[in-house]
PDB file of all heavy atoms in Angstrom:
ATOM      1  N   LYS A 270      -3.777  -9.650  -5.101  1.00 89.00           N
ATOM      2  CA  LYS A 270      -2.722 -10.159  -4.220  1.00 89.00           C
ATOM      3  C   LYS A 270      -1.668  -8.991  -4.021  1.00 89.00           C
ATOM      4  O   LYS A 270      -1.285  -8.423  -5.033  1.00 89.00           O
ATOM      5  CB  LYS A 270      -2.111 -11.385  -4.751  1.00 89.00           C
ATOM      6  CG  LYS A 270      -2.999 -12.559  -4.749  1.00 89.00           C
ATOM      7  CD  LYS A 270      -2.270 -13.839  -5.300  1.00 89.00           C
ATOM      8  CE  LYS A 270      -3.242 -15.066  -5.212  1.00 89.00           C
ATOM      9  NZ  LYS A 270      -4.125 -15.066  -6.352  1.00 89.00           N
ATOM     10  N   HIS A 271      -1.207  -8.804  -2.885  1.00 91.00           N
ATOM     11  CA  HIS A 271      -0.209  -7.818  -2.564  1.00 91.00           C
ATOM     12  C   HIS A 271       1.180  -8.288  -3.079  1.00 91.00           C
ATOM     13  O   HIS A 271       1.548  -9.489  -2.953  1.00 91.00           O
ATOM     14  CB  HIS A 271      -0.063  -7.560  -1.128  1.00 91.00           C
ATOM     15  CG  HIS A 271      -1.263  -6.820  -0.594  1.00 91.00           C
ATOM     16  ND1 HIS A 271      -1.482  -5.464  -0.674  1.00 91.00           N
ATOM     17  CD2 HIS A 271      -2.269  -7.309   0.207  1.00 91.00           C
ATOM     18  CE1 HIS A 271      -2.547  -5.162  -0.134  1.00 91.00           C
ATOM     19  NE2 HIS A 271      -3.062  -6.258   0.469  1.00 91.00           N
ATOM     20  N   VAL A 272       1.857  -7.454  -3.797  1.00 94.00           N
ATOM     21  CA  VAL A 272       3.223  -7.741  -4.419  1.00 94.00           C
ATOM     22  C   VAL A 272       4.103  -6.618  -4.012  1.00 94.00           C
ATOM     23  O   VAL A 272       3.751  -5.533  -3.762  1.00 94.00           O
ATOM     24  CB  VAL A 272       3.141  -7.938  -5.932  1.00 94.00           C
ATOM     25  CG1 VAL A 272       2.333  -9.205  -6.289  1.00 94.00           C
ATOM     26  CG2 VAL A 272       2.676  -6.821  -6.645  1.00 94.00           C
ATOM     27  N   ASP A 273       5.491  -6.941  -4.063  1.00 95.00           N
ATOM     28  CA  ASP A 273       6.452  -5.904  -3.840  1.00 95.00           C
ATOM     29  C   ASP A 273       6.902  -5.300  -5.155  1.00 95.00           C
ATOM     30  O   ASP A 273       7.425  -4.215  -5.126  1.00 95.00           O
ATOM     31  CB  ASP A 273       7.642  -6.544  -3.055  1.00 95.00           C
ATOM     32  CG  ASP A 273       7.351  -6.836  -1.605  1.00 95.00           C
ATOM     33  OD1 ASP A 273       6.397  -6.183  -1.098  1.00 95.00           O
ATOM     34  OD2 ASP A 273       7.848  -7.813  -1.135  1.00 95.00           O
ATOM     35  N   ILE A 274       6.832  -6.024  -6.200  1.00 96.00           N
ATOM     36  CA  ILE A 274       7.335  -5.535  -7.504  1.00 96.00           C
ATOM     37  C   ILE A 274       6.276  -5.843  -8.610  1.00 96.00           C
ATOM     38  O   ILE A 274       5.692  -6.873  -8.584  1.00 96.00           O
ATOM     39  CB  ILE A 274       8.630  -6.205  -7.938  1.00 96.00           C
ATOM     40  CG1 ILE A 274       9.736  -5.847  -6.957  1.00 96.00           C
ATOM     41  CG2 ILE A 274       9.047  -5.820  -9.344  1.00 96.00           C
ATOM     42  CD1 ILE A 274      10.962  -6.509  -7.199  1.00 96.00           C
ATOM     43  N   ALA A 275       5.969  -4.701  -9.480  1.00 96.00           N
ATOM     44  CA  ALA A 275       5.008  -4.993 -10.570  1.00 96.00           C
ATOM     45  C   ALA A 275       5.892  -4.798 -11.903  1.00 96.00           C
ATOM     46  O   ALA A 275       6.366  -3.760 -12.159  1.00 96.00           O
ATOM     47  CB  ALA A 275       3.972  -4.024 -10.516  1.00 96.00           C
ATOM     48  N   PRO A 276       6.044  -5.943 -12.635  1.00 96.00           N
ATOM     49  CA  PRO A 276       6.824  -5.822 -13.873  1.00 96.00           C
ATOM     50  C   PRO A 276       6.046  -5.152 -14.992  1.00 96.00           C
ATOM     51  O   PRO A 276       4.758  -4.998 -15.006  1.00 96.00           O
ATOM     52  CB  PRO A 276       7.105  -7.304 -14.193  1.00 96.00           C
ATOM     53  CG  PRO A 276       5.905  -8.149 -13.535  1.00 96.00           C
ATOM     54  CD  PRO A 276       5.559  -7.262 -12.348  1.00 96.00           C
ATOM     55  N   GLU A 277       6.703  -4.827 -16.029  1.00 95.00           N
ATOM     56  CA  GLU A 277       6.204  -4.213 -17.262  1.00 95.00           C
ATOM     57  C   GLU A 277       5.006  -5.058 -17.807  1.00 95.00           C
ATOM     58  O   GLU A 277       5.147  -6.238 -17.847  1.00 95.00           O
ATOM     59  CB  GLU A 277       7.223  -4.069 -18.330  1.00 95.00           C
ATOM     60  CG  GLU A 277       6.867  -3.276 -19.572  1.00 95.00           C
ATOM     61  CD  GLU A 277       7.991  -2.957 -20.455  1.00 95.00           C
ATOM     62  OE1 GLU A 277       9.070  -2.510 -19.885  1.00 95.00           O
ATOM     63  OE2 GLU A 277       7.919  -3.155 -21.562  1.00 95.00           O
ATOM     64  N   GLY A 278       3.908  -4.445 -18.199  1.00 95.00           N
ATOM     65  CA  GLY A 278       2.766  -5.079 -18.745  1.00 95.00           C
ATOM     66  C   GLY A 278       1.744  -5.519 -17.706  1.00 95.00           C
ATOM     67  O   GLY A 278       0.634  -5.966 -18.028  1.00 95.00           O
ATOM     68  N   SER A 279       2.094  -5.443 -16.401  1.00 94.00           N
ATOM     69  CA  SER A 279       1.167  -5.841 -15.327  1.00 94.00           C
ATOM     70  C   SER A 279      -0.039  -4.956 -15.230  1.00 94.00           C
ATOM     71  O   SER A 279       0.106  -3.703 -15.253  1.00 94.00           O
ATOM     72  CB  SER A 279       1.868  -5.830 -13.994  1.00 94.00           C
ATOM     73  OG  SER A 279       2.954  -6.703 -13.920  1.00 94.00           O
ATOM     74  N   GLU A 280      -1.228  -5.516 -15.054  1.00 94.00           N
ATOM     75  CA  GLU A 280      -2.466  -4.772 -14.724  1.00 94.00           C
ATOM     76  C   GLU A 280      -2.388  -4.735 -13.225  1.00 94.00           C
ATOM     77  O   GLU A 280      -2.391  -5.755 -12.540  1.00 94.00           O
ATOM     78  CB  GLU A 280      -3.671  -5.490 -15.128  1.00 94.00           C
ATOM     79  CG  GLU A 280      -3.754  -5.693 -16.726  1.00 94.00           C
ATOM     80  CD  GLU A 280      -4.008  -4.463 -17.447  1.00 94.00           C
ATOM     81  OE1 GLU A 280      -4.670  -3.539 -16.818  1.00 94.00           O
ATOM     82  OE2 GLU A 280      -3.716  -4.359 -18.668  1.00 94.00           O
ATOM     83  N   ILE A 281      -2.364  -3.425 -12.660  1.00 94.00           N
ATOM     84  CA  ILE A 281      -2.158  -3.317 -11.199  1.00 94.00           C
ATOM     85  C   ILE A 281      -3.065  -2.338 -10.540  1.00 94.00           C
ATOM     86  O   ILE A 281      -3.680  -1.543 -11.203  1.00 94.00           O
ATOM     87  CB  ILE A 281      -0.651  -2.962 -10.931  1.00 94.00           C
ATOM     88  CG1 ILE A 281      -0.440  -1.527 -11.381  1.00 94.00           C
ATOM     89  CG2 ILE A 281       0.320  -3.907 -11.508  1.00 94.00           C
ATOM     90  CD1 ILE A 281       0.872  -0.910 -10.740  1.00 94.00           C
ATOM     91  N   GLY A 282      -3.187  -2.480  -9.230  1.00 93.00           N
ATOM     92  CA  GLY A 282      -3.767  -1.493  -8.310  1.00 93.00           C
ATOM     93  C   GLY A 282      -2.557  -0.920  -7.534  1.00 93.00           C
ATOM     94  O   GLY A 282      -1.769  -1.706  -7.062  1.00 93.00           O
ATOM     95  N   ILE A 283      -2.527   0.301  -7.321  1.00 95.00           N
ATOM     96  CA  ILE A 283      -1.429   0.952  -6.605  1.00 95.00           C
ATOM     97  C   ILE A 283      -1.965   1.910  -5.555  1.00 95.00           C
ATOM     98  O   ILE A 283      -2.989   2.675  -5.821  1.00 95.00           O
ATOM     99  CB  ILE A 283      -0.442   1.693  -7.567  1.00 95.00           C
ATOM    100  CG1 ILE A 283       0.757   2.312  -6.864  1.00 95.00           C
ATOM    101  CG2 ILE A 283      -1.137   2.654  -8.417  1.00 95.00           C
ATOM    102  CD1 ILE A 283       1.813   2.813  -7.719  1.00 95.00           C
ATOM    103  N   ILE A 284      -1.451   1.824  -4.349  1.00 95.00           N
ATOM    104  CA  ILE A 284      -1.888   2.716  -3.273  1.00 95.00           C
ATOM    105  C   ILE A 284      -0.685   3.683  -2.942  1.00 95.00           C
ATOM    106  O   ILE A 284       0.416   3.156  -2.740  1.00 95.00           O
ATOM    107  CB  ILE A 284      -2.195   1.828  -1.993  1.00 95.00           C
ATOM    108  CG1 ILE A 284      -3.390   0.890  -2.330  1.00 95.00           C
ATOM    109  CG2 ILE A 284      -2.561   2.783  -0.839  1.00 95.00           C
ATOM    110  CD1 ILE A 284      -3.613  -0.104  -1.217  1.00 95.00           C
ATOM    111  N   LEU A 285      -1.020   4.935  -2.929  1.00 96.00           N
ATOM    112  CA  LEU A 285       0.048   5.918  -2.679  1.00 96.00           C
ATOM    113  C   LEU A 285      -0.227   6.556  -1.233  1.00 96.00           C
ATOM    114  O   LEU A 285      -1.417   6.523  -0.805  1.00 96.00           O
ATOM    115  CB  LEU A 285       0.008   7.034  -3.680  1.00 96.00           C
ATOM    116  CG  LEU A 285       0.270   6.642  -5.129  1.00 96.00           C
ATOM    117  CD1 LEU A 285       0.174   7.858  -6.017  1.00 96.00           C
ATOM    118  CD2 LEU A 285       1.610   6.003  -5.236  1.00 96.00           C
ATOM    119  N   LYS A 286       0.717   7.055  -0.667  1.00 95.00           N
ATOM    120  CA  LYS A 286       0.533   7.776   0.586  1.00 95.00           C
ATOM    121  C   LYS A 286      -0.288   9.032   0.470  1.00 95.00           C
ATOM    122  O   LYS A 286      -1.190   9.337   1.267  1.00 95.00           O
ATOM    123  CB  LYS A 286       1.940   8.145   1.188  1.00 95.00           C
ATOM    124  CG  LYS A 286       1.865   8.678   2.613  1.00 95.00           C
ATOM    125  CD  LYS A 286       3.336   8.854   3.184  1.00 95.00           C
ATOM    126  CE  LYS A 286       3.220   9.244   4.622  1.00 95.00           C
ATOM    127  NZ  LYS A 286       4.610   9.369   5.179  1.00 95.00           N
ATOM    128  N   GLU A 287      -0.026   9.897  -0.561  1.00 96.00           N
ATOM    129  CA  GLU A 287      -0.757  10.979  -0.875  1.00 96.00           C
ATOM    130  C   GLU A 287      -1.061  10.885  -2.433  1.00 96.00           C
ATOM    131  O   GLU A 287      -0.230  10.381  -3.191  1.00 96.00           O
ATOM    132  CB  GLU A 287      -0.109  12.334  -0.700  1.00 96.00           C
ATOM    133  CG  GLU A 287       0.522  12.607   0.663  1.00 96.00           C
ATOM    134  CD  GLU A 287       1.963  12.054   0.828  1.00 96.00           C
ATOM    135  OE1 GLU A 287       2.628  11.734  -0.138  1.00 96.00           O
ATOM    136  OE2 GLU A 287       2.392  11.907   1.935  1.00 96.00           O
ATOM    137  N   THR A 288      -2.186  11.588  -2.849  1.00 97.00           N
ATOM    138  CA  THR A 288      -2.484  11.502  -4.307  1.00 97.00           C
ATOM    139  C   THR A 288      -3.235  12.713  -4.731  1.00 97.00           C
ATOM    140  O   THR A 288      -4.118  13.276  -3.962  1.00 97.00           O
ATOM    141  CB  THR A 288      -3.304  10.210  -4.650  1.00 97.00           C
ATOM    142  OG1 THR A 288      -3.516  10.170  -5.988  1.00 97.00           O
ATOM    143  CG2 THR A 288      -4.684  10.300  -3.972  1.00 97.00           C
ATOM    144  N   PRO A 289      -3.044  13.236  -5.948  1.00 97.00           N
ATOM    145  CA  PRO A 289      -3.831  14.260  -6.511  1.00 97.00           C
ATOM    146  C   PRO A 289      -5.012  13.646  -7.298  1.00 97.00           C
ATOM    147  O   PRO A 289      -5.811  14.418  -7.830  1.00 97.00           O
ATOM    148  CB  PRO A 289      -2.833  14.934  -7.486  1.00 97.00           C
ATOM    149  CG  PRO A 289      -1.923  13.832  -7.915  1.00 97.00           C
ATOM    150  CD  PRO A 289      -1.786  12.937  -6.756  1.00 97.00           C
ATOM    151  N   PHE A 290      -5.065  12.313  -7.375  1.00 96.00           N
ATOM    152  CA  PHE A 290      -6.113  11.603  -8.234  1.00 96.00           C
ATOM    153  C   PHE A 290      -7.435  11.573  -7.436  1.00 96.00           C
ATOM    154  O   PHE A 290      -7.487  11.105  -6.314  1.00 96.00           O
ATOM    155  CB  PHE A 290      -5.703  10.293  -8.563  1.00 96.00           C
ATOM    156  CG  PHE A 290      -4.721  10.170  -9.686  1.00 96.00           C
ATOM    157  CD1 PHE A 290      -3.399  10.383  -9.523  1.00 96.00           C
ATOM    158  CD2 PHE A 290      -5.123   9.704 -10.935  1.00 96.00           C
ATOM    159  CE1 PHE A 290      -2.505  10.301 -10.495  1.00 96.00           C
ATOM    160  CE2 PHE A 290      -4.215   9.565 -11.997  1.00 96.00           C
ATOM    161  CZ  PHE A 290      -2.828   9.892 -11.783  1.00 96.00           C
TER     162      PHE A 290
END
Side-chain angles (χ1 to χ4, degrees):
K270 292 183 179 78
H271 293 284
V272 296
D273 291 329
I274 298 174
E277 190 170 312
S279 300
E280 299 286 334
I281 69 166
I283 181 170
I284 299 171
L285 301 177
K286 188 173 185 178
E287 305 92 12
T288 186
F290 283 76

